[in-house]
């Protein structure tokens, strides 16, 4: 899915706190354009299976793709090599110790076939606010007291909406993702939302499900 898309027929958001039905999304999953990144709007979006994704020179774009890439925590796949890493003392994990460092690293790391970053200054500020208000969570991976990997996302209680991860050394982001899945399995979280398909996520056990099924799980505990 390209982050830049034709949106002349899309729903343009106003100051009113609302989104159109997700079934209005186009074939790529683009649902709406505009609005803001206030905490209230972001939480409304995530609780309804919608997330922002746009380039720095673009209007805010809101997405709800079908199918949806997710991981059921109990289905996490751990390779033999990663089992060795998990048993070793190479890495240690912390939670919410340096959220801003994680999001900064995620925004600056070079990614294949991607120019620039979608984590703009506006996005950075919005997710820092979500973090301070207790909604955004980070997992940090350390090697010899150096931050070498991590991930962050929005924790809705029963569903974790993953946003981005980074790895400055081999296996660091995998380590964070596996630890997240293991913790959520223990805590009986139902789902980790991975948003879009990648072969990397698939290798770790993530799978595509219909948007309808995803929304049913998402809305079980929404208030």
């Amino acid at each position: 899915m390209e982050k830049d898309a034709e949106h002349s027929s899309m729903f343009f958001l106003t100051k009113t706190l609302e989104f159109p039905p997700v079934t209005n999304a186009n074939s790529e999953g683009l649902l709406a354009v505009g609005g803001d990144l206030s905490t209230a709007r972001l939480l409304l979006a995530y609780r309804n299976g919608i997330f922002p994704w746009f380039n720095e020179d673009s209007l805010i774009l809101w997405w709800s793709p079908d199918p949806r890439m997710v991981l059921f925590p109990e289905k996490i796949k751990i390779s033999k090599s990663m089992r060795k890493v998990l048993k070793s003392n190479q890495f240690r994990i912390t939670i919410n110790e340096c959220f801003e460092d994680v999001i900064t690293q995620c925004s600056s790391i070079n990614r294949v076939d991607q120019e620039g970053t979608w984590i703009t200054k506006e996005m950075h500020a919005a997710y820092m606010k979500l973090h301070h208000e207790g909604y955004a969570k980070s997992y940090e991976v350390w090697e010899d007291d150096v931050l070498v990997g991590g991930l962050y996302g929005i924790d809705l209680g029963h569903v974790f909406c993953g946003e981005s991860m980074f790895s400055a050394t081999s296996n660091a982001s995998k380590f964070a993702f596996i630890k997240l899945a293991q913790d959520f399995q223990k805590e009986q979280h139902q789902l980790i939302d991975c948003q879009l398909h990648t072969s990397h996520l698939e290798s770790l056990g993530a799978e595509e499900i219909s948007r309808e099924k995803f929304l049913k799980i998402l809305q079980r505990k929404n208030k």
Side-chain angles (χ1 to χ4, degrees):
M1 185 189 301
E2 297 294 327
K3 294 182 183 178
D4 187 19
E6 177 61 43
H7 47 256
S8 59
S9 61
M10 285 296 104
F11 186 96
F12 279 80
L13 300 177
T14 65
K15 292 182 179 180
T16 304
L17 200 60
E18 64 178 358
F19 286 98
V22 294
T23 51
N24 286 15
N26 68 13
S27 59
E28 290 187 324
L30 181 59
L31 175 67
V33 179
D36 55 56
L37 295 175
S38 66
T39 295
R41 190 181 295 276
L42 284 167
L43 290 177
L44 178 65
Y46 283 107
R47 287 167 177 162
N48 286 279
I50 303 163
F51 59 87
W53 188 25
F54 59 98
N55 291 323
E56 196 163 7
D57 58 352
S58 167
L59 294 172
I60 300 173
L61 305 180
W62 300 90
W63 304 81
S64 185
D66 187 14
R68 191 79 166 220
M69 192 71 168
V70 304
L71 174 75
F72 295 97
E74 67 275 12
K75 292 186 178 181
I76 185 72
K77 290 182 181 178
I78 307 174
S79 65
K80 289 182 179 179
S81 60
M82 279 306 300
R83 289 188 187 279
K84 291 180 180 179
V85 172
L86 290 166
K87 290 179 180 179
S88 73
N89 294 319
Q90 180 182 358
F91 299 131
R92 65 181 178 89
I93 199 84
T94 58
I95 301 172
N96 285 339
E97 279 198 6
C98 54
F99 181 91
E100 187 165 16
D101 289 339
V102 171
I103 193 171
T104 298
Q105 290 286 346
C106 286
S107 68
S108 61
I109 196 166
N110 292 324
R111 301 180 192 278
V112 178
D113 298 327
Q114 182 176 316
E115 295 181 5
T117 179
W118 59 270
I119 306 174
T120 64
K121 291 180 180 179
E122 187 181 11
M123 289 280 277
H124 183 114
Y127 285 82
M128 283 302 301
K129 188 173 182 181
L130 281 168
H131 173 63
H132 290 313
E133 295 186 16
Y135 296 105
K137 174 184 288 187
S138 62
Y139 270 56
E140 305 97 16
V141 180
W142 306 84
E143 185 175 21
D144 297 328
D145 295 323
V146 177
L147 182 66
V148 294
L151 60 81
Y152 76 95
I154 308 302
D155 192 350
L156 298 179
H158 65 305
V159 171
F160 183 83
C161 304
E163 274 299 312
S164 189
M165 62 176 69
F166 84 96
S167 187
T169 192
S170 180
N171 295 321
S173 62
K174 286 183 181 179
F175 187 86
F177 191 71
I178 290 169
K179 287 293 186 180
L180 173 72
Q182 290 178 332
D183 284 352
F184 281 13
Q185 188 174 351
K186 292 175 186 176
E187 296 164 13
Q188 297 185 326
H189 280 56
Q190 296 176 34
L191 200 66
I192 297 172
D193 174 26
C194 303
Q195 299 177 350
L196 303 169
H197 176 275
T198 69
S199 56
H200 174 65
L201 290 168
E202 186 176 10
S203 72
L204 290 166
E207 60 190 273
E208 290 185 320
I209 62 174
S210 70
R211 181 171 56 207
E212 181 181 7
K213 182 177 180 180
F214 171 71
L215 290 174
K216 284 181 179 178
I217 296 171
L218 185 64
Q219 292 167 358
R220 282 176 188 167
K221 292 187 180 180
N222 279 355
K223 296 180 180 180

